[in-house]
Amino acid sequence: MQRILVLNSKGGCGKTTVATNLASLYAGYGFTTALMDYDPQGSSMRWHSQRPRDNPVIHGVRAWQRSSGAQTSAWQLRLPPQTERVILDAPAGVSGQQLVNYVQRVDTILVPVLPSPIDIHAATHFIKDLLLIGKVRTAGVRVGVVANRAKKNTLVYQSLERFLKSLRLPLLGTLRDTQHYVHAVERGIGVHELWDRRVEEDRRQWINILEWLEDERVEMTAQQRHAP
């Protein structure tokens, strides 16, 4: 089982976009996939509730919910047998010991970042916390960054690239600022599941991210290759 945490201390950076699209991508490739929503806003589970029944199955867990007692309901966190990939959508504002606890439970962390001066500044401090407080490199946890709603040919985007290069962190993909993601989330699907040739570039970005996560080359599925 591989556990992938989607995390950034700042809200509104696209955590749910990354978590839901990644879960649907893994499910589409035949992995037994679970999506655990730790954010009390419940955005990932709202997306999950809209997912069509004939699309590849994703096991959804409302991990933020508490029972009447002090402990999280065990049945809510129980995963299907042979679960292969678990995507954790973390809440905003994770820091200190809570950050350490998350890091200790996962194999990989994806950090979505908006390419704006404010977001890059916030991401700078958060990634330093991951390295110093979370000790991700000591723990053997891989960290990759995904630029969200980005335009590559901008000074801000170039600033993000320089920052990541200075920390030796990979920029895995660039999610375009497009309504395709809006249309997908409304239907409970991933952008790569849209039957529209105009999302070809978006599909390829997700293939790049998947290849880094799996550390191997990934071919598009037949559905992706023959989308009209």
Side-chain angles (χ1 to χ4, degrees):
M1 181 189 297
Q2 295 291 324
R3 295 175 181 263
I4 302 165
L5 175 64
V6 184
L7 178 67
N8 192 327
S9 61
K10 187 178 182 300
C13 60
K15 289 187 294 81
T16 297
T17 297
V18 172
T20 55
N21 277 276
L22 185 58
S24 63
L25 186 63
Y26 268 123
Y29 273 92
F31 289 88
T32 304
T33 304
L35 176 61
M36 303 182 71
D37 192 348
Y38 283 90
D39 193 334
Q41 292 184 358
S43 299
S44 285
M45 288 302 97
R46 281 196 296 274
W47 172 88
H48 184 266
S49 68
Q50 300 297 320
R51 189 161 178 80
R53 292 185 178 181
D54 56 349
N55 280 60
V57 174
I58 299 168
H59 180 72
V61 179
R62 290 173 169 80
W64 80 87
Q65 288 185 342
R66 299 284 177 172
S67 64
S68 56
Q71 296 181 345
T72 303
S73 299
W75 67 268
Q76 291 176 332
L77 302 182
R78 191 177 299 128
L79 299 175
Q82 289 81 48
T83 297
E84 297 170 288
R85 297 295 180 269
V86 182
I87 316 302
L88 297 85
D89 185 1
V94 174
S95 62
Q97 186 57 46
Q98 188 182 24
L99 177 62
V100 175
N101 293 341
Y102 272 113
V103 170
Q104 291 175 342
R105 289 154 44 198
V106 300
D107 306 288
T108 306
I109 296 175
L110 296 184
V111 183
V113 178
L114 292 172
S116 73
I118 293 176
D119 286 270
I120 291 176
H121 179 74
T124 299
H125 290 284
F126 175 67
I127 290 174
K128 287 179 179 177
D129 283 347
L130 274 179
L131 298 174
L132 297 176
I133 299 174
K135 299 181 180 180
V136 289
R137 285 176 174 157
T138 302
V141 176
R142 293 202 301 167
V143 179
V145 175
V146 178
N148 186 32
R149 300 204 298 270
K151 296 180 180 179
K152 291 186 177 182
N153 298 321
T154 62
L155 293 176
V156 173
Y157 185 87
Q158 293 165 10
S159 174
L160 175 61
E161 288 184 308
R162 288 194 299 271
F163 162 63
L164 296 177
K165 186 176 181 180
S166 71
L167 294 177
R168 293 181 290 118
L169 290 176
L171 180 59
L172 306 181
T174 302
L175 310 187
R176 296 190 301 163
D177 188 4
T178 169
Q179 288 296 303
H180 295 149
Y181 285 98
V182 176
H183 299 324
V185 75
E186 290 173 346
R187 297 165 54 187
I189 62 176
V191 70
H192 55 278
E193 294 177 299
L194 290 170
W195 288 84
D196 189 330
R197 287 192 180 276
R198 291 173 295 178
V199 301
E200 184 70 18
E201 183 177 344
D202 304 300
R203 292 190 186 103
R204 293 194 179 279
Q205 287 297 319
W206 282 103
I207 295 299
N208 292 339
I209 294 170
L210 189 63
E211 287 181 343
W212 182 82
L213 289 168
E214 296 301 308
D215 199 24
E216 64 181 37
R217 184 171 178 79
V218 176
E219 297 292 337
M220 283 190 178
T221 64
Q223 175 177 328
Q224 291 171 333
R225 288 196 299 270
H226 300 299

